[in-house]
């Protein structure tokens, strides 16, 4: 039998050679895709040859900033997805938040139902099983998942004057809902610790992605001063997906915001359809503590399709429960997102009209919400 240490070594060699392939591929593409400001004539890569034969890029955040930005730029143009290692969040923090997800989503149904938000459109607390359907075009059944959501609170320091925030956008800063500490000791601490760390990592990544667009490092942060980000604990039912019948863990969709940082329990099942492909490709996780990052629709709009918000879905392949924890970073609800001047020209006019972030998010939330399996609608 092969020893564990030998297996680990083989995996490391595989990772090193993947990184090497990636680096040499990037070198070959130097001058062809690497954007400098202005980036008007750069178009996203669209075919498999240019994307390389390897999978979703792995970006090690312990490298020099220039290397990180170059790798992220490539990933954003070709894949809309990358995984990050060397990000500084420790395994214990992941283990605790995954345990928290298991704890709260395994409570008796009547307890979970008490933790649901009462107001329509408020994304906080328990999301019932079948509570979302992300792909109306092919799904015959809502997503086979339930969840628990946490958001950001309205800044108490008055830095975002209440008068500036229209009432209709207050729901983005609604109070969080917490289960009873006696029922789930340590739950709140585990969630808050992870939220704080993933928020900080997200901020760092928005800087790199802004630089990758040829823009100032603060570009995205300037549009997300009070980001109504969302931390979601997800539990997928232990039922094998049947995509050809429209029954899946989570239907095909693109994310609606800026960036999503996703931690999974390592059981696989996340598939993407890259812009150069007609087939679904599973996202490989290079280490058990990596984070998957993907671009949301706002990046595609700002960059006039140079960066891509890639469709993805979750296919459950075993009769086993799956947990995942996305952290969705959104722009300010009052912000308008429109094509950045360096991404359009006479030959390449803006492909999308300006969009109001708050309207976009509310519209998407309501369009895809379902009453769920426990409320007698399906
Ligand atoms: O659970 C996953 O792996 C992905 C979830 C996802 O794409 C989403 O909730 O937007
Ligand atoms: Fe998603």
């Amino acid at each position: 039998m092969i020893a564990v240490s030998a297996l680990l070594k083989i995996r490391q060699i595989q990772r090193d050679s993947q990184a090497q392939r990636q680096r040499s591929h990037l070198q070959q593409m130097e001058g062809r895709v690497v954007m400098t400001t202005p980036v008007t004539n750069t178009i996203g890569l669209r075919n498999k040859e240019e994307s390389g034969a390897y999978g979703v890029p792995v970006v090690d955040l312990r490298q020099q900033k220039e290397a990180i930005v170059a790798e992220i730029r490539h990933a954003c143009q070709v894949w809309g997805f990358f995984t990050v290692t060397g990000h500084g969040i420790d395994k214990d923090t992941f283990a605790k938040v995954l345990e928290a997800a298991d704890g709260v989503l395994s409570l008796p149904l009547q307890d979970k139902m008490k933790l649901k938000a009462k107001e329509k459109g408020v994304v906080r607390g328990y999301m019932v099983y079948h509570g979302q359907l992300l792909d109306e075009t092919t799904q015959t059944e809502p997503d086979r998942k339930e969840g628990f959501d946490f958001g950001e609170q309205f800044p108490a320091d008055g830095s975002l004057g209440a008068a500036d925030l229209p009432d209709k956008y207050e729901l983005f800063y609604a109070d969080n809902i917490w289960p009873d500490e006696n029922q789930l000791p340590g739950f709140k601490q585990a969630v808050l610790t992870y939220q704080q760390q993933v928020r900080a990592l997200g901020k760092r990544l928005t800087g790199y992605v802004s630089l990758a667009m040829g823009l100032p490092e603060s570009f995205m942060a300037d549009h997300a001063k009070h980001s109504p980000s969302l931390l979601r604990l997800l539990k997928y039912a232990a039922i094998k997906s049947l995509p050809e019948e429209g029954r899946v863990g989570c239907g095909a969709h693109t994310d609606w915001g800026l960036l999503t940082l996703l931690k999974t329990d390592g059981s696989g099942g996340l598939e993407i359809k890259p812009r150069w492909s007609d087939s679904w490709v599973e996202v490989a996780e290079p280490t058990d503590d990596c984070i998957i990052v993907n671009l949301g629709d706002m990046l595609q709009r700002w960059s006039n399709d140079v960066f891509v918000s890639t469709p993805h879905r979750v296919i459950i392949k075993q009769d086993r429960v799956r947990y995942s924890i996305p952290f969705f970073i959104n722009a300010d609800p009052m912000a308008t997102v429109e094509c950045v001047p360096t991404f359009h020209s006479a030959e390449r006019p803006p492909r999308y009209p300006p969009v109001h972030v708050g309207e976009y998010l509310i519209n998407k939330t309501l369009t895809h919400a379902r009453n769920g399996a426990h409320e007698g609608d399906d």
Side-chain angles (χ1 to χ4, degrees):
M1 213 172 89
I2 187 158
V4 172
S5 61
L7 265 179
L8 289 175
K9 189 141 180 62
I10 291 167
R11 285 193 69 186
Q12 188 55 49
I13 292 167
Q14 284 167 341
R15 269 179 227 135
D16 289 349
S17 71
Q18 184 193 30
Q20 182 52 41
R21 275 203 305 282
Q22 247 176 283
R23 269 194 294 277
S24 63
H25 191 73
L26 267 173
Q27 278 153 10
Q28 283 165 25
M29 297 201 304
E30 263 320 292
R32 209 146 46 93
V33 291
V34 175
M35 295 183 291
T36 49
T37 312
V39 289
T40 348
N41 294 320
T42 310
I43 53 157
L45 301 178
R46 280 173 195 280
N47 63 59
K48 193 170 165 95
E49 287 66 46
E50 285 180 308
S51 76
Y54 51 82
V56 169
V58 183
V59 181
D60 186 340
L61 297 183
R62 289 162 296 203
Q63 300 174 92
Q64 297 284 328
K65 193 165 170 181
E66 290 70 27
I68 295 174
V69 171
E71 290 184 14
I72 286 181
R73 177 183 297 125
H74 166 76
C76 292
Q77 291 185 333
V78 179
W79 295 88
F81 266 79
F82 52 98
T83 54
V84 292
T85 57
H87 46 62
I89 301 182
D90 63 58
K91 289 189 183 182
D92 186 53
T93 305
F94 289 137
K96 286 194 171 128
V97 73
L98 282 163
E99 206 179 296
D102 180 25
V104 74
L105 294 168
S106 303
L107 288 176
L109 182 59
Q110 71 266 26
D111 293 359
K112 292 188 283 195
M113 293 303 273
K114 288 185 197 134
L115 299 168
K116 251 168 65 75
K118 303 219 164 25
E119 311 77 21
K120 192 174 173 192
V122 170
V123 188
R124 293 290 184 274
Y126 183 52
M127 176 183 72
V128 293
Y129 184 67
H130 277 174
Q132 212 176 30
L133 186 146
L134 285 169
D135 177 14
E136 292 90 348
T137 61
T138 68
Q139 278 179 265
T140 55
E141 179 187 333
D143 295 1
R144 288 166 163 179
K145 68 185 188 200
E146 58 188 312
F148 209 98
D149 292 311
F150 304 91
E152 304 289 346
Q153 307 298 265
F154 195 80
D157 62 5
S159 55
L160 180 63
D164 299 337
L165 185 75
D167 292 353
K168 62 181 177 180
Y169 291 159
E170 280 177 13
L171 54 82
F172 288 116
Y173 304 96
D175 287 343
N176 281 322
I177 298 172
W178 296 100
D180 185 347
E181 182 68 22
N182 296 323
Q183 199 172 17
L184 291 174
F187 176 90
K188 187 170 183 178
Q189 193 52 52
V191 170
L192 289 176
T193 302
Y194 183 65
Q195 186 188 35
Q196 190 222 331
Q197 295 194 26
V198 78
R199 189 195 289 127
L201 175 62
K203 189 131 198 256
R204 189 175 160 203
L205 289 168
T206 57
Y208 295 149
V209 174
S210 302
L211 290 170
M213 283 200 280
L215 297 170
E217 190 163 355
S218 66
F219 173 76
M220 281 165 75
D222 290 344
H223 289 81
K225 291 202 170 89
H226 300 291
S227 169
S229 66
L230 197 70
L231 180 67
R232 170 166 280 184
L233 312 177
L234 281 173
K235 178 180 185 180
Y236 291 89
I239 321 170
K240 272 191 204 135
S241 296
L242 297 167
E244 58 295 342
E245 280 183 22
R247 300 177 190 281
V248 293
C250 152
H253 66 283
T254 57
D255 287 351
W256 313 330
L258 299 179
L259 293 182
T260 305
L261 278 63
L262 177 80
K263 178 73 196 122
T264 79
D265 63 4
S267 59
L270 175 63
E271 297 186 344
I272 66 173
K273 197 183 266 187
R275 66 192 327 173
W276 40 264
S277 170
D278 290 328
S279 327
W280 292 97
V281 178
E282 183 158 4
V283 178
E285 299 191 37
T287 58
D288 58 9
D289 61 350
C290 72
I291 289 188
I292 300 168
V293 183
N294 65 288
L295 309 191
D297 296 343
M298 297 306 120
L299 261 308
Q300 182 153 340
R301 286 170 168 260
W302 265 328
S303 70
N304 214 15
D305 283 350
V306 172
F307 283 10
V308 59
S309 171
T310 296
H312 52 285
R313 66 181 189 180
V314 175
I315 299 297
I316 302 299
K317 295 187 177 132
Q318 298 118 359
D319 298 322
R320 216 171 62 204
V321 165
R322 174 183 188 270
Y323 289 97
S324 75
I325 307 181
F327 178 70
F328 301 102
I329 305 174
N330 292 309
D332 293 327
M334 295 77 77
T336 298
V337 167
E338 61 188 319
C339 182
V340 171
T342 45
F343 286 93
H344 66 81
S345 62
E347 305 80 63
R348 194 180 166 83
R351 296 179 172 186
Y352 305 96
V355 69
H356 299 289
V357 172
E359 300 300 318
Y360 191 83
L361 291 172
I362 290 175
N363 183 31
K364 289 281 191 187
T365 304
L366 296 179
T367 305
H368 296 287
R370 295 293 179 273
N371 287 336
H374 310 306
E375 294 178 295
D377 78 327
D378 53 11

